[in-house]
Amino acid sequence: MTKGRLEAFSDGVMAIIITIMVLELKVPEGSSWISLKPLIPKFLAYIFSFIYVGIYWNNHHHMFQAVKKVNGSILWANLHLLFWLSLMPIATEWIGATHFAENPVAAYGVCLIMSAVAYTIMEHLIVQCEGENSRLKEAIHSKFKEYISIVFYVLGIAVSFFYPYIAIGFYYLVALIWLIPDKRIEKLLKED
């Protein structure tokens, strides 16, 4: 099975996710700069979520550059990832509308950690499908980034009930870890 349809579908879904998020931003009432003030939490939530969806799109693209074939399990794993990412607009709207309140920040963290788990499952299934000589396996022999991300998400969710802004800080750290495309895969692609 070729990977082209999976990539095209994923690109489309991620584009729709970003579109839905931006449509939740409403035009300010009034023409003064002060009329933008009520939109600041929603805009910050949008920026944060846009970056996250962008990180997943970017790393998804890089990962599939190293993949030669896909099977049904990988298709389902990809849908699992897209399911969790598709909840980002709701979580984004909730944290923005509530000014980063405790429960919405925890729910946002659940979306993030489940997306990370789904991505990690998909990596595993790709390596399993392609076998011991998998280019992806060679590129991601160390899963430090994946595991440290999950640890930071767990810490963020745990602390969100007491200090939601510190939780956002943990989520932000994970975004910083993944902001630059996965160098492990880029290095492998340059060697080809």
Side-chain angles (χ1 to χ4, degrees), residues 17 26 39 61 71 85 88 94 123 127 145 153 167 173 175:
I17 290 168
K26 303 301 180 204
L39 298 178
H61 171 74
N71 62 19
L85 290 176
M88 289 296 288
W94 200 19
E123 275 183 341
V127 169
K145 284 174 73 169
Y153 287 141
L173 282 174

Side-chain angles (χ1 to χ4, degrees), residues 147-163:
Y147 296 141
I148 195 69
S149 299
I150 291 172
V151 167
F152 282 157
Y153 287 141
V154 168
L155 290 171
I157 293 167
V159 79
S160 67
F161 297 106
F162 309 101
Y163 305 104

Side-chain angles (χ1 to χ4, degrees), residues 5-190:
R5 289 193 67 198
L6 178 145
E7 290 176 293
F9 180 74
S10 301
D11 287 348
V13 170
M14 289 189 215
I16 291 168
I17 290 168
I18 289 173
T19 302
I20 291 169
M21 287 188 313
V22 78
L23 290 175
E24 292 298 322
L25 295 175
K26 303 301 180 204
V27 176
E29 295 182 24
S31 60
S32 68
W33 292 111
I34 200 75
S35 62
L36 292 174
K37 189 176 180 183
L39 298 178
I40 290 173
K42 287 186 176 191
F43 188 66
L44 291 174
Y46 168 74
I47 291 170
F48 197 54
S49 295
F50 182 92
I51 289 169
Y52 255 108
V53 174
I55 287 168
Y56 273 101
W57 175 79
N58 202 326
N59 284 294
H60 188 276
H61 171 74
H62 276 85
M63 179 169 58
F64 276 93
Q65 291 301 303
V67 173
K68 292 182 180 164
K69 62 182 178 178
V70 297
N71 62 19
S73 296
I74 295 167
L75 294 176
W76 280 109
N78 191 64
L79 282 172
H80 181 223
L81 170 64
L82 294 175
F83 169 78
W84 289 107
L85 290 176
S86 73
L87 295 175
M88 289 296 288
I90 296 166
T92 301
E93 175 64 17
W94 200 19
I95 64 172
T98 61
H99 298 238
F100 299 88
E102 295 87 354
N103 290 334
V105 169
Y108 191 82
V110 169
C111 286
L112 294 175
I113 196 169
M114 293 308 297
S115 296
V117 167
Y119 188 88
T120 303
I121 290 169
M122 188 165 56
E123 275 183 341
H124 173 76
L125 290 173
I126 290 168
V127 169
Q128 190 178 30
C129 175
E130 294 194 332
E132 288 301 313
N133 296 325
S134 167
R135 293 171 64 199
L136 185 61
K137 181 179 181 179
E138 181 184 338
I140 60 164
H141 59 277
S142 167
K143 292 207 174 224
F144 178 77
K145 284 174 73 169
E146 287 88 339
Y147 296 141
I148 195 69
S149 299
I150 291 172
V151 167
F152 282 157
Y153 287 141
V154 168
L155 290 171
I157 293 167
V159 79
S160 67
F161 297 106
F162 309 101
Y163 305 104
Y165 290 105
I166 292 174
I168 293 292
F170 279 116
Y171 306 156
Y172 183 73
L173 282 174
V174 176
L176 289 177
I177 291 170
W178 288 97
L179 198 56
I180 297 170
D182 201 332
K183 293 294 186 189
R184 301 171 296 179
I185 294 173
E186 281 190 348
K187 182 180 175 186
L188 177 75
L189 295 174
K190 284 182 183 178

